[in-house]
Amino acid sequence: MIKINEHYLKLQASYLFSNIAKKVGDFQKANPDKDIIRLGIGDVTRALPQACTDAFHSAIDEMATDSGFRGYGPEQGYEFLREAIAKNDFQSRGADISADEIFVSDGAKCDSGNIQELFTTDARIAIPDPVYPVYLDTNVMAGRTGDFADGRYKGIIYLDSTKENNYVPSLPAEKPDLIYLCFPNNPTGSTITKAELKTWVDYAKENQALILFDAAYEAFIRDESLPKSIYEVEGAKEVAIEFRSFSKNAGFTGTRCAYTVVPKECAAFDAKGGKQLIHPLWNRRHCTKFNGVSYPVQRAAEAVYSEAGKAQAQELVSGYLKNADLIASEIKNLGYGFAGGENSPYIWIEGKRDSWEFFDMLLSKAGVVCTPGAGFGKCGEGYIRLSAFNSYENVEEAMKRIKAALA
Ligand SMILES: *Cc1c(COP(=O)(O)O)cnc(C)c1O
């Protein structure tokens, strides 16, 4: 008899986006003339940079000739892209990361979800609350949690991110083996300082733990004093893996390209307490289960680092940040507390009421879609997330309507 992985049965059905879709659909049906503005989803809206589509096109033309055709490429990614990443994203900021420590993939979602299979089933896991749901769900699937009760899985060390700690969790009382961190954060938009990040790096070292650092939103950091990479912190290479993506900085959500950094000296331990390097293990996993990102997509990603590509990607991000500025200043004027919006495309708003109640009110009174904070964890209850991923005109109109609705 074929039996299923029972851990999948523990997963809480994510009603978040299906619930939102149903509520928006019902509202649209009842109000067919109402123009709905979506500030809910975490997906970009503006076109790919021209430098990227040009590179994409010419790579496809190469593929159309026998001499330029490419079949399977290196699983870890083409050298041209890994070199460009190492040089531009790390070495230029004083982080000593080399091309062979970069693993190109089709998404930071898959990488941050797959990485946990390198570690023992009884590893103790620390996960921020609220946060991107992938870290938690993939550990539930792998059997690292108990059942779900009172809004939380048993066996997980939750790192509460609240107004009191400025949405940067403090070190937990109970010692974890694996620590997930995400900054700038989704959904709170909060950032971490170099000193705060150093506290985590030092803690991981002292406790033989490993940090999984998701920096998918690093491009939105405007404050030059903030770290874009965990490797800007001394000693991080031994205890941290970093996830990056072209999704949010260059509009690749539908194009698919990302990468994971596993430094050569980054280590975990075997059953006898011996040091085991992670690089060869991740390399083995990657090559066994993945056959590389398509050549045209890697050429398009490489173009993000060309002179024109850098300027165009910067312009995309600046446009979203301008939206974020507008949302943040209007929310402030309305007298609501919030986080994010400064070095992040997300604005995390203290709703002064239940998350879904706020969602319903904004939809019915303003025709604006937000994301209820409760969907990101227990600590998200009472909050909503507004996203800056839209046109400036739509954001302007949305804020006008929100002002009227909340007045
Ligand atoms: C959007 C996002 C990613 C990017 O995922 P891709 O699979 O590369 O598109 C990763 N982490 C977080 C927290 C995100 O919000």
Side-chain angles (χ1 to χ4, degrees):
M1 185 198 299
I2 176 68
K3 293 187 177 157
I4 46 98
N5 173 356
E6 292 268 340
H7 301 304
Y8 271 65
L9 303 181
K10 293 179 198 160
L11 287 165
Q12 298 304 295
S14 175
Y15 295 117
L16 182 63
F17 289 101
S18 55
N19 250 359
I20 292 175
K22 182 173 187 319
K23 281 173 181 272
V24 172
D26 290 349
F27 178 79
Q28 189 76 89
K29 215 182 242 172
N31 305 272
D33 316 324
K34 190 96 186 169
D35 164 42
I36 294 172
I37 302 176
R38 287 158 210 274
L39 298 183
I41 21 166
D43 194 0
V44 295
T45 52
R46 289 187 55 197
L48 288 170
Q50 166 120 35
C52 298
T53 54
D54 285 349
F56 217 160
H57 279 295
S58 49
I60 289 166
D61 289 340
E62 280 180 64
M63 295 289 270
T65 65
D66 284 344
S67 61
F69 171 79
R70 311 242 185 165
Y72 292 125
E75 290 93 340
Q76 302 89 343
Y78 284 102
E79 206 52 30
F80 61 78
L81 179 56
R82 299 170 86 197
E83 288 286 354
I85 290 169
K87 183 166 161 272
N88 290 279
D89 287 345
F90 299 99
Q91 291 160 13
S92 74
R93 294 189 61 85
D96 175 28
I97 294 293
S98 59
D100 59 359
E101 296 175 308
I102 310 283
F103 292 85
V104 176
S105 80
D106 60 352
K109 185 188 216 177
C110 356
D111 288 352
S112 62
N114 288 329
I115 193 81
Q116 48 74 30
E117 71 178 65
L118 262 47
F119 309 105
T120 178
T121 310
D122 61 5
R124 288 157 304 172
I125 314 292
I127 299 182
D129 177 359
V131 87
Y132 188 55
V134 174
Y135 321 142
L136 182 59
D137 286 355
T138 52
N139 277 292
V140 175
M141 292 169 175
R144 288 197 191 83
T145 73
D147 289 329
F148 188 80
D150 298 327
R152 289 190 155 176
Y153 289 97
K154 297 211 177 85
I156 290 286
I157 302 170
Y158 286 92
L159 303 171
D160 289 0
S161 308
T162 61
K163 190 181 172 177
E164 286 64 43
N165 57 26
N166 207 17
Y167 308 98
V168 177
S170 8
L171 300 175
E174 194 185 335
K175 276 185 189 156
D177 301 311
L178 199 56
I179 302 160
Y180 290 81
L181 293 176
C182 173
F183 290 103
N185 188 266
N186 178 8
T188 70
S190 62
T191 52
I192 191 163
T193 65
K194 215 179 240 184
E196 286 166 334
L197 197 50
K198 175 128 196 340
T199 309
W200 282 98
V201 167
D202 292 345
Y203 177 80
K205 248 183 210 174
E206 276 158 32
N207 294 288
Q208 300 184 303
L210 184 76
I211 297 173
L212 302 175
F213 191 72
D214 187 341
Y217 295 95
E218 57 76 31
F220 292 83
I221 293 178
R222 282 185 280 195
D223 179 344
E224 272 302 313
S225 73
L226 295 172
K228 286 182 165 242
S229 165
I230 195 167
Y231 305 117
E232 291 171 39
V233 173
E234 203 196 314
K237 287 178 74 178
E238 290 152 55
V239 292
I241 289 170
E242 183 166 301
F243 304 104
R244 290 276 192 109
S245 174
F246 295 97
S247 284
K248 313 296 166 35
N249 67 332
F252 274 53
T253 52
T255 307
R256 310 307 305 145
C257 198
Y259 65 88
T260 290
V261 188
V262 185
K264 289 279 177 60
E265 55 265 65
C266 188
F269 302 87
D270 58 30
K272 295 194 181 102
K275 215 175 201 185
Q276 292 288 339
L277 296 176
I278 296 174
H279 189 282
L281 302 181
W282 182 248
N283 188 53
R284 187 60 200 261
R285 194 222 75 100
H286 199 73
C287 296
T288 301
K289 297 194 175 183
F290 186 63
N291 247 341
V293 173
S294 86
Y295 173 69
V297 168
Q298 291 193 60
R299 281 295 185 196
E302 180 195 23
V304 172
Y305 300 105
S306 66
E307 207 170 306
K310 278 181 189 169
Q312 291 159 9
Q314 182 90 50
E315 198 196 314
L316 271 184
V317 168
S318 301
Y320 293 132
L321 283 172
K322 190 177 160 202
N323 295 346
D325 282 339
L326 176 63
I327 297 171
S329 73
E330 293 292 357
I331 291 298
K332 192 174 175 188
N333 290 341
L334 285 164
Y336 282 78
F338 69 95
E342 218 172 319
N343 297 287
S344 155
Y346 298 126
I347 294 89
W348 185 242
I349 303 164
E350 297 165 36
K352 304 181 187 177
R353 69 208 91 188
D354 174 271
S355 282
W356 281 103
E357 209 180 302
F358 204 134
F359 173 92
D360 289 334
M361 191 267 293
L362 279 191
L363 181 60
S364 63
K365 286 176 113 180
V368 172
V369 182
C370 67
T371 312
F376 297 101
K378 206 174 180 180
C379 292
E381 181 48 77
Y383 287 82
I384 59 153
R385 186 191 74 179
L386 285 181
S387 146
F389 293 131
N390 213 312
S391 69
Y392 189 73
E393 295 67 38
N394 279 347
V395 170
E396 250 182 337
E397 172 64 19
M399 295 320 292
K400 221 181 274 171
R401 293 197 211 158
I402 289 175
K403 223 152 79 176
L406 294 181

